[in-house]
Amino acid sequence: MKQSQTYLTTSLKDILPTSSELSIGNIPLSQIEKLVSTTPFYAYDRQLIINRVKQLKNTLPKEISLHYAIKANPYPSLVQLMAEQVSGFDVASKKEMLLAIQTGMPVNKISFAGPGKTIEDIEAAIIAGVTLHVESVGEIAKVELAAKQLKLKANIALRVNPAFELKASGMKMSGGAKPFGIDEEQIAQVLKDLPLKQVNLRGFHIYTGSQNLKAEAIIAAQQQTFALAQQLVELTSKITNIKIDYLNIGGGFGVPYFANEQPLAVSAIADNLQALLQQYKALTDGVELILELGRYLVAEAGIYVCKVVDIKVSRGTKYLVCDGGLHHHLANSGNFGQVIRKNYPLAIGNKLNSKELEQVNIVGPLCTPLDVLADKIMLPKASLGDYVVVFQSGAYGASASPKDFLSQPQLSEILL
Ligand SMILES: Cc1ncc(COP(=O)(O)O)c(C=O)c1O
């Protein structure tokens, strides 16, 4: 990749160095299209990811370990890059687990969470030495059985469903009845019943939600998380005499997708974590504190690019019809957790400086009104073959979209 990058950047100056064309990793879109052979594609900017992680690490207290949740973007080259940037991985399937292991990440830094793990998942984690974040009493029984049969000890952490929730979250994953984790009130009994011959209890996982832009909500949840962790650790020591080695305090850091949203005030969260570390010194002594983030690390480093293949006017509304859409980028279409659809930030990628604007609707090639890329958006006047670029697309893009829907051509991904 490095070689072609050098070659491309030098040769490009002679071919298409228009400043109105967007570049990723110094390579203009038209050249990326040649690299990946066709549109649509996702392109991820390596340097932006490195910068984001570095900036976050510089802001957070040094005691906090950063883990990447592979579900946000499992593109193998990106996961490999992440292995060099963060200290651990959260995986949500056996396939993600194998991907994580193959990056060389130490297995004791990989945790496997998610409800509904199969015996096959559990056996694979035990064999690999990956820590299972168990989500139910039934799952503990499965782990016990698998470990017995394999004649191996399973590493586990208890995922706890706390009584509190992460307020103002895009996705709430705790509080009340939830499929995730074991209710905090059940933990004492679970500790009493733990099959300690078969399992090695490493810690607790308290994950409360995702896509949150309100620092005060994350701070409030972290205060509650530390208080709960204190109780859980005391209970554990009383009931099992085990000293845990890590505490996963969740994540939930969001990114702004829409016009009225502001970036998360991470420094306020970092200050609060620093204060919590002081307040809970005895609790955190010798215990690794893990912050588990996905989208915050990668979302803003990725774009989705498709091409205008038809332009039509229907009863006064101008449509740009593209070769990509919902089947590659479900979130942008508004069908992945949004209540009211809003436009992601978009551009005509080869006309960044154009002053001639017009209002258009942008749609994909699928025969469904759900296939929307943008609704009533002001953009430079587009022509056939122009690039429609969707920003903030580095997380929950390709892997979170129904790629086979209507059997459209597949898309490409590239890390530059
Ligand atoms: C257990 C767990 N960890 C991490 C994440 C990653 O969330 P995000 O990408 O919003 O940081 C999720 C998202 O649903 C999750 O369920």
Side-chain angles (χ1 to χ4, degrees):
M1 181 55 67
K2 277 248 156 57
Q3 265 179 356
S4 50
Q5 215 167 332
T6 317
Y7 161 74
L8 285 166
T9 38
T10 40
S11 66
L12 243 169
K13 291 195 180 79
D14 314 322
I15 310 167
L16 248 183
T18 62
S19 58
S20 71
E21 184 166 347
L22 183 72
S23 293
I24 294 285
N26 290 327
I27 307 183
L29 294 184
S30 51
Q31 291 287 316
I32 300 175
E33 183 185 352
K34 288 188 198 302
L35 281 181
V36 297
S37 302
T38 181
T39 55
F41 59 84
Y42 279 93
Y44 312 116
D45 190 318
R46 175 188 300 272
Q47 199 54 49
L48 285 184
I49 295 173
I50 293 172
N51 294 350
R52 169 55 67 107
V53 176
K54 203 189 265 175
Q55 200 178 22
L56 182 60
K57 281 191 190 160
N58 287 341
T59 311
L60 292 172
K62 62 177 186 336
E63 293 86 347
I64 302 287
S65 296
L66 196 57
H67 283 204
Y68 173 59
I70 291 181
K71 59 167 75 75
N73 190 328
Y75 181 57
S77 312
L78 185 148
V79 176
Q80 185 65 54
L81 170 67
M82 277 308 199
E84 296 149 25
Q85 312 302 315
V86 299
S87 34
F89 285 135
D90 161 59
V91 302
S93 63
K94 182 177 162 187
K95 192 169 172 189
E96 284 189 2
M97 184 187 86
L98 294 175
L99 180 61
I101 292 170
Q102 282 168 73
T103 64
M105 178 64 76
V107 287
N108 66 349
K109 301 290 179 190
I110 302 172
S111 55
F112 185 167
K117 294 182 204 75
T118 62
I119 286 286
E120 195 196 348
D121 295 332
I122 290 169
E123 284 180 346
I126 296 173
I127 291 166
V130 162
T131 304
L132 285 156
H133 284 187
V134 292
E135 309 261 351
S136 71
V137 172
E139 199 168 279
I140 297 174
K142 281 190 191 158
V143 173
E144 180 185 8
L145 185 68
K148 243 187 212 158
Q149 284 173 349
L150 289 167
K151 299 191 175 52
L152 291 170
K153 209 159 177 179
N155 289 316
I156 66 161
L158 299 180
R159 178 160 176 194
V160 182
N161 172 26
F164 60 87
E165 61 176 28
L166 174 54
K167 298 211 161 59
S169 255
M171 266 181 257
K172 291 193 173 122
M173 301 184 70
S174 75
K178 288 284 179 294
F180 316 111
I182 300 168
D183 297 347
E184 66 170 87
E185 344 36 296
Q186 293 179 26
I187 296 292
Q189 191 58 48
V190 165
L191 287 169
K192 283 180 197 150
D193 297 341
L194 264 191
L196 290 173
K197 265 199 191 138
Q198 275 76 40
V199 304
N200 168 35
L201 177 66
R202 295 195 61 203
F204 291 98
H205 181 206
I206 305 174
Y207 190 87
T208 51
S210 169
Q211 180 49 16
N212 200 305
L213 288 171
K214 297 241 179 308
E216 61 277 18
I218 292 179
I219 287 171
Q222 286 179 345
Q223 309 268 28
Q224 292 172 293
T225 298
F226 273 73
L228 174 60
Q230 170 94 47
Q231 290 172 28
L232 296 174
V233 167
E234 281 166 11
L235 262 183
T236 308
S237 138
K238 208 162 86 189
I239 297 172
T240 66
N241 211 19
I242 291 172
K243 176 156 173 41
I244 59 156
D245 58 66
Y246 74 75
L247 207 51
N248 184 319
I249 59 169
F253 291 21
V255 297
Y257 287 102
F258 309 117
N260 55 347
E261 292 181 335
Q262 298 301 319
L264 182 66
V266 176
S267 57
I269 298 170
D271 290 347
N272 180 63
L273 281 171
Q274 194 67 63
L276 285 168
L277 286 169
Q278 281 300 318
Q279 189 184 340
Y280 290 93
K281 237 186 175 130
L283 169 73
T284 55
D285 185 35
V287 173
E288 186 182 9
L289 284 174
I290 297 170
L291 189 66
E292 182 173 292
L293 299 177
R295 83 178 75 224
Y296 184 79
L297 305 181
V298 294
E300 292 172 271
I303 56 170
Y304 173 65
V305 182
C306 55
K307 229 176 200 174
V308 179
V309 292
D310 193 14
I311 299 175
K312 63 183 278 188
V313 177
S314 169
R315 302 205 168 106
T317 295
K318 190 163 190 177
Y319 286 91
L320 306 181
V321 185
C322 296
D323 61 357
L326 168 156
H327 52 310
H328 300 151
H329 203 331
L330 188 66
N332 175 53
S333 76
N335 294 292
F336 188 68
Q338 276 187 57
V339 183
I340 300 167
R341 189 193 174 280
K342 289 178 238 153
N343 292 332
Y344 271 48
L346 265 89
I348 301 297
N350 51 315
K351 290 183 175 163
L352 297 180
N353 297 337
S354 171
K355 301 273 183 292
E356 197 190 347
L357 302 184
E358 63 177 1
Q359 181 179 294
V360 287
N361 282 4
I362 310 182
V363 297
L366 307 185
C367 203
T368 159
L370 299 177
D371 193 9
V372 173
L373 281 142
D375 189 42
K376 297 191 186 72
I377 189 167
M378 289 299 288
L379 285 176
K381 192 164 194 265
S383 314
L384 292 180
D386 283 351
Y387 296 113
V388 168
V389 175
V390 185
F391 295 97
Q392 309 294 75
S393 297
Y396 304 106
S399 72
S401 302
K403 287 186 269 301
D404 292 329
F405 190 33
L406 297 203
S407 305
Q408 287 284 325
Q410 296 293 309
L411 82 168
S412 303
E413 291 175 87
I414 189 162
L415 174 74
L416 295 164

